Amino acid sequence: MASPLSDLDELVLKCRDEKANSYIKEAVACYKSGAFRSSIVSTWIAVSFDIIDKLKELSLAGDKEAEIQVEAFEKAMRHGDIASSLRFERDILAICRDKLELISPVEFIDLNRLQEDRNRCAHPSMTADGEIFNPSAELARMHIRSAVEHLLQYPPAQGKYALDSLTSEVNSEYFPTDIDKAIVALDNSPLKKARKSLIRNFSIVLIKKILNKSNDYKETTRTATALNAIRLIHKEEFNATLKDKLSSIVRNIEADALKNVIQLISRVNDVWPYFDQDVKQKIEAFVENLPTENFDDIDIILSLNFLVGSAEKRISKATRKEISETLFFDLPTQVGNRVVELYEQSRSFDQANSFAPTVALHARDYTREQIKSIIEASGNNDQITNSFEVGTVIKALRANQLVTDDEIDRWLDDADISKYKKTKHEVSV
């Protein structure tokens, strides 16, 4: 069974820097020797000096509120103004809670109890006649733990200033898009040893940034990389944020911003399981009825296993114009099937001729079955057979590495359009 004293030693090690470490060591030493009143007084001194150090660090970093508080503190010190100094000490926790967000309202309650008990320990005049305040070991130990876990272990930037600083860093064009480099960048920021509230708020800000703005590609990539880095650095807190907040955020976005949900779930790892069922249905319905202007996202959507079914339903309704105006680096098989289907359904020479360039454009990406179907359609549908561009389509199909010229020629024979077979001269060349 671990000793409570060794537990306190571990608390000392959690302090963020040498100053905070030295501040609390004295309190622990007093506790171990049984001087519990001195331990509580030393703990409050550690908290006070740590807050002052944090104010100075924030002031140097440009935090205006911290500058105001440091100036007030130093002015009181220069003039030996005891009243102002006491007032500053009395109000310091409220300043940290309300103006700097260094502590939460709950943490304020615990630290305020420390301040009150310190006053009872250090000022006998605050107790009734003949009574001496004798704090218990448990009370002294609780105050040491509160001091470390609520304040001493954290860097100075934890509130709005930290959030603004982190957001500005990700918004910078110099924020890395490589995940390993992003982790290094955030690991040397206020996020390294952050409160849960800062992790939650920063994650929400970045999620909303992707969902609610028409970001350019680089900006979206930086933001998504930052979110993936947060998950790796603070997995538990990040996943809890997704569980609690993600669905409500998506419910509140405008309908025309649903396209950005696709960017989020395709770029940020493992987001889908954290959507509530109604939100999943909303996203699936959006994909099934994907607007024409967003059809170029269909290949991205097809890479998401949980949306493949919805994407295939949308592809089955894709028009010739939508497919012709969409650039595919690698033609998805489902889109290839739709191209073949639309070409087979050509009802006029004009339809066959106008869609032929699109059919030919993707010739290198078709499967064997799709190539065979195009050749069969070229022989079975007289609107294609007698079109001007059918020869161009068949010539393009020969560039596909999955079939040989002999196979194509055999299929041309079967389709009764042997005139498009390679001539002896073409074969020799």
Side-chain angles (χ1 to χ4, degrees), residues 289-309:
N289 299 280
L290 195 67
T292 296
E293 60 268 23
N294 302 127
F295 189 75
D296 55 357
D297 287 334
I298 202 69
D299 54 344
I300 296 175
I301 299 172
L302 285 169
S303 69
L304 306 171
N305 292 335
F306 41 83
L307 287 176
V308 169

Side-chain angles (χ1 to χ4, degrees), residues 127-141:
T127 63
D129 290 342
E131 293 184 5
I132 298 177
F133 177 56
N134 288 308
S136 65
E138 289 79 7
L139 181 62
R141 186 174 181 279

Side-chain angles (χ1 to χ4, degrees), residues 5-264:
L5 299 184
S6 64
D7 188 31
L8 287 179
D9 289 334
E10 290 175 8
L11 281 174
V12 171
L13 295 175
K14 290 174 70 175
C15 293
R16 70 183 183 94
D17 62 15
E18 292 183 4
K19 281 187 177 181
N21 186 289
S22 63
Y23 293 154
I24 205 64
K25 269 184 178 179
E26 183 178 347
V28 172
C30 292
Y31 175 89
K32 289 181 178 181
S33 66
F36 303 131
R37 279 195 297 270
S38 296
S39 176
I40 291 174
V41 172
S42 296
T43 302
W44 173 250
I45 292 172
V47 166
S48 298
F49 276 103
D50 186 67
I51 290 174
I52 292 170
D53 284 344
K54 283 180 166 66
L55 291 176
K56 290 179 178 178
E57 287 185 50
L58 290 172
S59 176
L60 290 174
D63 189 306
K64 299 301 181 184
E65 183 58 41
E67 290 178 6
I68 293 172
Q69 299 303 328
V70 169
E71 184 179 350
F73 173 74
E74 292 181 344
K75 181 180 179 181
M77 293 298 98
R78 286 196 304 270
H79 293 87
D81 189 342
I82 303 300
S84 296
S85 297
L86 290 173
R87 184 166 56 253
F88 179 86
E89 182 180 0
R90 184 181 66 244
D91 297 338
I92 196 169
L93 291 178
I95 291 169
C96 288
R97 178 193 61 188
D98 301 331
K99 296 185 177 181
L100 297 167
E101 298 182 12
L102 290 178
I103 58 176
S104 69
V106 173
E107 292 165 344
F108 171 83
I109 293 173
D110 289 342
L111 294 175
N112 191 55
R113 287 172 182 164
L114 166 62
Q115 186 178 32
E116 291 174 351
D117 286 346
R118 173 264 183 188
N119 292 337
R120 296 166 69 191
C121 289
H123 301 293
S125 60
M126 297 185 66
T127 63
D129 290 342
E131 293 184 5
I132 298 177
F133 177 56
N134 288 308
S136 65
E138 289 79 7
L139 181 62
R141 186 174 181 279
M142 180 195 73
H143 286 320
I144 293 173
R145 179 176 291 278
S146 295
V148 174
E149 295 192 340
H150 295 343
L151 194 65
L152 301 185
Q153 69 169 320
Y154 293 116
Q158 287 295 322
K160 185 177 183 300
Y161 180 80
L163 182 59
D164 291 343
S165 173
L166 288 167
T167 303
S168 296
E169 183 171 359
V170 174
N171 288 342
S172 168
E173 292 183 3
Y174 302 106
F175 186 80
T177 54
D178 177 84
I179 185 64
D180 292 330
K181 293 180 179 179
I183 290 174
V184 172
L186 294 178
D187 208 33
N188 289 275
S189 73
L191 198 70
K192 180 178 182 179
K193 205 169 187 180
R195 299 175 188 274
K196 292 182 180 180
S197 58
L198 178 58
I199 299 168
R200 180 182 65 251
N201 293 336
F202 185 41
S203 301
I204 291 172
V205 166
L206 296 183
I207 289 170
K208 287 184 175 181
K209 179 177 172 62
I210 291 179
L211 293 181
N212 294 327
K213 291 185 65 178
S214 298
N215 306 312
D216 61 28
Y217 177 82
K218 289 183 178 180
E219 188 174 10
T220 300
T221 301
R222 289 196 302 269
T223 306
T225 303
L227 284 167
N228 284 321
I230 296 171
R231 160 166 269 150
L232 292 174
I233 298 171
H234 298 291
K235 183 176 181 179
E236 185 177 342
E237 290 81 0
F238 182 79
N239 288 344
T241 300
L242 292 182
K243 182 178 180 181
D244 294 340
K245 299 295 183 180
L246 184 59
S247 292
S248 60
I249 293 173
V250 173
R251 288 189 189 101
N252 292 324
I253 65 175
E254 299 293 334
D256 60 358
L258 280 172
K259 64 181 183 295
N260 294 331
V261 178
I262 304 303
Q263 294 294 326
L264 178 70

Side-chain angles (χ1 to χ4, degrees), residues 327-366:
L327 177 63
F328 296 99
F329 292 103
D330 292 302
L331 186 73
T333 300
Q334 298 92 329
V335 177
N337 289 337
R338 182 58 176 165
V339 171
V340 174
E341 181 182 23
L342 289 170
Y343 193 52
E344 290 174 337
Q345 294 174 354
S346 296
R347 297 179 180 178
S348 66
F349 298 144
D350 183 58
Q351 276 192 340
N353 284 324
S354 62
F355 197 54
T358 299
V359 180
L361 177 65
H362 301 296
R364 295 176 182 270
D365 296 323
Y366 296 132

